[in-house]
Amino acid sequence: MTIGIGLLGLGTVGAGVAEILATPEGRHPLVAELELRRVAVRDLQRTRPIQLPSELLSTEPEAVVDDPAVDIVVEVMGGLEPARSLILRAIAAGKPVVTANKAVIARHGEEIAAAAAAAGVYVLLEAAVGGGIPIIEPLKQSLGANRIQRVSGIINGTTNYILSRMAAEGADYAAVLADAQRLGYAEADPAADVQGADAADKIAILTGLAYGGSVPREAIPTEGIDQLDARDVTYADQLGFVVKLLAVSQRIETATDGDPQLLDVRVHPTLLPRSHPLAGVNGVFNAILVEGEPVGQVMFYGPGAGSGPTASAVVADILNIAGGPPGIDPLLAAGSWRQCRLIDGARTTHRNYVRLRTTDQPGVIGRIGTCFGDAGVSIQSIVQFEADSEAAEIVVITHEVLEADFRSALDAIAALPEVQRVAACLRTL
Ligand code: NAP
Ligand code: HSE
């Protein structure tokens, strides 16, 4: 018996899905049982990488969801609305949903999961994080026995592609971003990629799965690469580090009865020592490091964006639904089972990289050191990189210190008459 697929969107990901469905040879036998029955697009005249019979295409996504010939709804249109309403509409009609839309899941995941549980249908989202990398189902199922301590990763392909090419070729930021868009890695509005919002959406989803309860998406401290100065990439390199946009979700305290889990969840450019397992992840590749007890460290690595890899994850979800037993498998269905809350940023501890522009005169480094010492901030290294008649550039790497202490040291340093400005401040592993 064939299974009818309704596709909401025929862009980068949708076209990749249609391509897999149209070429079942050599794939899992169930792929041949999947039939693309309706496809929603915005513009019927647009030239597309895959030609579909025109009668399949519609500009009315509701009609695709409602079509009785559609058994599984695949949402790959992106954006919050109408995507959220269409997913809920499919659920209300008793139709399982597969989505790649991390923006909608990060913000409305609880509502969608509750509606799906009430209706007894699946909403699967493997493609929403890590493109072609299986990470959602492993976190939900294969690692389910663990107490997860930390999930950290490079989970935005566009920014990793940009950072890798900037570091390797000294390439221009805007030119590399344009390449990423042409290759289908970047979101329609690349601001979400370069400002860190896309990675924050993804770490919000991974947090919910890893710790069994969501955190408010808008409360996740997020910093992208759009303010990153190429000079810090160069200095980091000279000090033995690479700069990556890292998303981190870490358990600070284990929940006791009635007490929510305390988590530290954040996205920011980070200096990684070259020996770190994530430091060698380059280009559009993503990697996610999961640390749990008793498993230890498990790393997931692969292509994090693009048409084919993302479609691979979408079609795997369709196969899970199409080939699964009737009824809901609690491991495949998502759900929260405990409360989580975010730690106050001032109470977190980090290693830091700071670049200061100062006048070049005797005693400046000493005074900077005193400010750090007075605030209880231990310094690992302090180096002067450049000096001209105008200014010197001093880079400090701290040991792991309390954020509140570090900020008070920076305030004192910024007030020194010899310090022109705190030019950069980055986290360091
Ligand atoms: P895209 O290339 O912009 O494609 C979006 C598709 O949806 C287009 O075909 C568009 O129609 C259609 N569409 C949008 N709004 C519509 C509406 N209101 N009614 C009907 N059709 C509508 O986006 P994409 O890169 O494929 O991404 C799709 C989703 O997958 C997003 O949620 C994205 O975050 C996620 N994702 C993308 C990647 C990736 O590498 N690109 C990876 C993982 C996850 P037209 O073609 O007519 O404009
Ligand atoms: N724009 C996203 C990225 C697509 O660059 O990773 C994959 O989610």
Side-chain angles (χ1 to χ4, degrees):
M1 198 187 79
T2 57
I3 295 158
I5 306 298
L7 204 50
L8 305 177
L10 191 61
T12 302
V13 181
V17 172
E19 175 67 31
I20 293 176
L21 300 186
T23 55
E25 307 77 24
R27 310 190 197 278
H28 191 285
L30 257 181
V31 177
E33 309 292 315
L34 306 174
E35 189 177 295
L36 192 54
R37 300 228 168 109
R38 293 289 287 274
V39 180
V41 294
R42 256 179 319 215
D43 177 1
L44 292 172
Q45 309 309 323
R46 194 171 152 190
T47 311
R48 300 180 187 276
I50 183 160
Q51 286 305 312
L52 296 177
S54 60
E55 63 274 17
L56 250 58
L57 299 186
S58 161
T59 53
E60 288 171 28
E62 291 82 4
V64 174
V65 172
D66 296 346
D67 190 331
V70 167
D71 301 305
I72 299 175
V73 173
V74 178
E75 187 276 305
V76 284
M77 62 177 14
L80 295 182
E81 286 293 353
R84 170 185 155 275
S85 301
L86 291 164
I87 290 171
L88 291 171
R89 187 180 182 109
I91 293 169
K95 298 186 182 187
V97 175
V98 173
T99 179
N101 191 332
K102 56 266 174 167
V104 94
I105 295 297
R107 288 165 186 79
H108 303 293
E110 296 242 313
E111 177 191 21
I112 289 169
V121 296
Y122 290 114
V123 174
L124 298 188
L125 44 121
E126 187 58 71
V129 182
I133 306 174
I135 177 65
I136 301 286
E137 293 310 321
L139 262 184
K140 274 201 291 194
Q141 302 187 55
S142 327
L143 293 169
N146 288 275
R147 281 190 201 98
I148 304 294
Q149 278 131 0
R150 181 163 45 199
V151 179
S152 54
I154 296 169
I155 49 178
N156 182 268
T158 302
T159 47
N160 203 43
Y161 179 81
I162 292 172
L163 288 174
S164 304
R165 284 196 50 194
M166 283 175 75
E169 305 163 24
D172 175 61
Y173 173 85
V176 184
L177 174 59
D179 274 356
Q181 286 179 290
R182 186 179 48 76
L183 291 164
Y185 306 151
E187 298 298 314
D189 174 4
D193 294 302
V194 298
Q195 292 172 6
D198 178 81
D201 288 348
K202 291 169 179 170
I203 200 68
I205 294 172
L206 295 182
T207 296
L209 296 171
Y211 305 106
S214 63
V215 293
R217 164 61 186 83
E218 300 311 332
I220 296 177
T222 304
E223 193 186 324
I225 65 162
D226 52 334
Q227 304 296 319
L228 185 69
D229 193 319
R231 181 185 294 252
D232 294 306
V233 177
T234 306
Y235 290 166
D237 179 56
Q238 291 175 23
L239 292 167
F241 295 93
V242 289
V243 181
K244 296 289 184 189
L245 183 67
L246 210 66
V248 181
S249 178
Q250 184 169 355
R251 183 205 295 265
I252 303 295
E253 282 166 19
T254 305
T256 50
D257 274 353
D259 217 13
Q261 297 280 319
L262 189 60
L263 305 177
D264 182 12
V265 185
R266 53 206 154 76
V267 173
H268 44 68
T270 308
L271 272 70
L272 302 181
R274 275 200 206 96
S275 57
H276 190 277
L278 294 171
V281 176
N282 286 314
V284 73
F285 281 83
N286 282 192
I288 300 122
L289 186 63
V290 180
E291 295 164 66
E293 183 278 320
V295 74
Q297 291 191 332
V298 183
M299 186 146 126
F300 299 82
Y301 171 82
S307 181
T310 310
S312 151
V314 170
V315 176
D317 277 348
I318 300 175
L319 292 174
N320 261 328
I321 293 168
I328 287 286
D329 169 354
L331 285 178
L332 208 52
S336 298
W337 66 91
R338 64 162 81 94
Q339 280 187 295
C340 293
R341 70 186 166 90
L342 287 175
I343 189 171
D344 171 3
R347 287 180 53 209
T348 57
T349 59
H350 309 278
R351 274 175 91 199
N352 302 279
Y353 161 105
V354 190
R355 176 163 57 87
L356 303 165
R357 252 181 114 67
T358 73
T359 51
D360 190 17
Q361 64 190 71
V364 176
I365 287 186
R367 278 189 277 284
I368 291 168
T370 302
C371 291
F372 277 123
D374 287 349
V377 172
S378 169
I379 293 174
Q380 181 189 306
S381 69
I382 185 159
V383 184
Q384 179 164 330
F385 269 100
E386 264 178 30
D388 52 39
S389 53
E390 305 283 296
E393 290 228 302
I394 294 171
V395 168
V396 181
I397 305 235
T398 72
H399 282 124
E400 185 162 334
V401 295
L402 190 66
E403 179 71 6
D405 293 345
F406 175 67
R407 289 288 151 194
S408 91
L410 275 193
D411 288 345
I413 288 166
L416 291 174
E418 301 89 345
V419 172
Q420 296 172 358
R421 66 193 167 96
V422 178
C425 196
L426 299 167
R427 298 280 162 81
T428 304
L429 283 194

